[in-house]
């Protein structure tokens, strides 16, 4: 558990992978957890991209890389929007403004989703994942407002 909430924990040797599914861009994923960023995988979109972290911040790669230069506090809520040239990464600052928009590439999720490692089990991250939520579209302002309210209610975390 993390903060009295159920969580999936990794010490770099464990990861969680979903069954196979596909999702073309645009899509949005919120990842709630406590992540230790040491150049490792936070989430892997099999066949088309990843969310990684290192000392530069949080990176989205759907064929091209770009960073939001913010290292997550604990706990963190990372929002990634895979939407080609309008892709986005935000860490705890995605409700109204903040985060980084850039071209992440055109990759699509074609084999499933894994947390703390890629689908092959390498690139293991360290931390705890409390929740993963996704929508098959670019998150709207209404989606962001609703999710910020949910995160505040569920985890006591204020998103700006």
């Amino acid at each position: 558990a993390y903060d009295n909430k159920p969580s999936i924990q990794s010490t770099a040797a464990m990861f969680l992978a979903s069954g196979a599914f596909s999702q073309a861009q645009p899509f949005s994923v919120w990842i709630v957890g406590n992540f230790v960023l040491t150049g490792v995988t936070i989430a892997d979109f099999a066949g088309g991209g990843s969310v990684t972290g290192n000392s530069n911040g949080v990176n989205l790669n759907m064929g091209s890389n770009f960073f939001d230069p913010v290292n997550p506090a604990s706990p963190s809520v990372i929002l990634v929007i895979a939407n080609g040239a309008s892709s986005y990464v935000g860490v705890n600052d995605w409700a109204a403004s903040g985060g980084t928009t850039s071209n992440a590439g055109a990759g699509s999720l074609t084999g499933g989703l894994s947390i703390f490692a890629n689908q092959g089990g390498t690139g293991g991250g360290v931390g705890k994942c409390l929740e993963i939520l996704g929508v098959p579209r670019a998150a709207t302002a209404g989606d962001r407002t609703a999710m910020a309210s949910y995160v505040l209610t569920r985890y006591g975390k204020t998103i700006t």
Side-chain angles (χ1 to χ4, degrees), residues 4-148:
N4 297 316
K5 305 284 191 280
S7 64
I8 299 164
Q9 181 173 349
S10 175
T11 58
M14 299 166 280
F15 68 101
L16 175 71
S18 73
F21 69 96
S22 297
Q23 179 61 54
Q25 290 192 37
F27 64 88
S28 303
V29 177
W30 285 269
I31 307 166
V32 182
N34 175 18
F35 308 102
V36 177
L37 298 182
T38 55
V40 296
T41 302
I42 296 170
D44 182 66
F45 306 124
S50 63
V51 179
T52 57
N54 64 32
S55 60
N56 293 321
V58 175
N59 174 59
L60 174 62
N61 182 344
M62 299 301 292
S64 297
N65 286 300
F66 77 93
F67 281 90
D68 182 20
V70 175
N71 279 310
S74 298
S76 293
V77 185
I78 300 169
L79 168 59
V80 295
I81 301 173
N83 192 19
S86 298
S87 294
Y88 173 87
V89 176
V91 182
N92 297 332
D93 62 353
W94 43 260
S97 61
T100 303
T101 301
S102 190
N103 187 353
S108 293
L109 196 158
T110 59
L113 170 71
S114 65
I115 298 298
F116 293 124
N118 63 33
Q119 293 287 315
T122 60
V126 175
K128 296 179 181 183
C129 182
L130 286 85
E131 195 163 359
I132 306 160
L133 299 148
V135 294
R137 62 183 178 276
T140 64
D143 292 333
R144 292 177 186 214
T145 299
M147 187 61 165

